[in-house]
Amino acid sequence: QLVARSAGFDATLPQRLRLVQEMDPEMTIYGEETLEQHMNLPLLPSRVAAISLTVFGAITLALAAIGIYAVMAFAVSRRTREIGIRMAIGARPSQIAWMIGRRALWLVGSSSLVGAGLAILAAGQLSPVLIGVNPWDPGVHLFGLLLIAAIAFAACWRPAHQAASLDPNQSLRRD
């Protein structure tokens, strides 16, 4: 603390070492590095694990978005004739979009509940890797659910919009 006060917190490592040598010339200094530099190697496995989990999580979110989009686009393409009939008998585009959105909501909601249950069960296994984060924190789990919901909404918007903008004449003549 004396060194920090007299040299200032912004003093470089060589300046601090010189100051320590001036205070006690008999003192031998080994490993001239800051605490942060000293802790880099022991914390490397944790950092690699955290970066790996982040990358795999991002890939998982991208695959989830692609999967949700593919399922919804396939469902819309399979129901093109039904959507055309509904629109021909007077369904508004907003009703068609809500019909597709309801299906997406059911898919995302049920899979999110299963995923949340599995995440809570797996939280204990990840606790050694997590530093400064409680694996059972409800805020973290809620954030994950909201993130998945936002990604699902973005992935479902285009198929629902395409279904709502179908021309009934062309969809009934298809196939």
Side-chain angles (χ1 to χ4, degrees):
Q1 289 179 356
L2 177 63
V3 173
R5 270 190 252 133
S6 61
F9 288 107
D10 57 344
T12 63
L13 185 60
Q15 290 172 337
R16 291 178 190 165
L17 292 174
R18 214 173 318 118
L19 185 60
V20 168
Q21 285 292 324
E22 289 173 8
M23 290 171 52
D24 187 2
E26 303 277 325
M27 183 181 289
T28 306
I29 299 175
Y30 296 102
E32 302 168 357
E33 58 186 11
T34 63
L35 181 61
E36 183 179 325
Q37 292 168 339
H38 179 73
M39 292 304 293
N40 276 340
L41 187 61
L43 291 178
L44 183 64
S46 297
R47 287 183 180 161
V48 168
I51 291 170
S52 298
L53 287 174
T54 302
V55 168
F56 289 135
I59 291 170
T60 302
L61 286 176
L63 288 174
I66 292 168
I68 292 168
Y69 174 78
V71 167
M72 293 311 300
F74 180 73
V76 167
S77 71
R78 298 289 292 168
R79 297 176 77 181
T80 301
R81 189 167 179 81
E82 174 196 350
I83 292 168
I85 292 170
R86 287 177 183 264
M87 291 185 86
I89 60 173
R92 293 185 310 274
S94 62
Q95 291 172 320
I96 299 299
W98 175 241
M99 178 182 73
I100 301 300
R102 244 189 347 254
R103 172 82 172 145
L105 186 63
W106 183 85
L107 281 171
V108 171
S110 61
S111 58
S112 292
L113 287 177
V114 170
L118 291 174
I120 290 171
L121 290 175
Q125 299 299 318
L126 293 176
S127 60
V129 179
L130 301 173
I131 298 172
V133 177
N134 181 4
W136 293 282
D137 184 13
V140 171
H141 291 283
L142 182 63
F143 175 75
L145 282 174
L146 291 175
L147 182 63
I148 287 291
I151 289 171
F153 175 76
C156 294
W157 183 84
R158 184 172 167 120
H161 180 69
Q162 286 176 338
S165 63
L166 279 175
D167 182 21
N169 291 328
Q170 289 180 349
S171 63
L172 290 174
R173 289 185 187 155
R174 229 185 260 176
D175 221 32

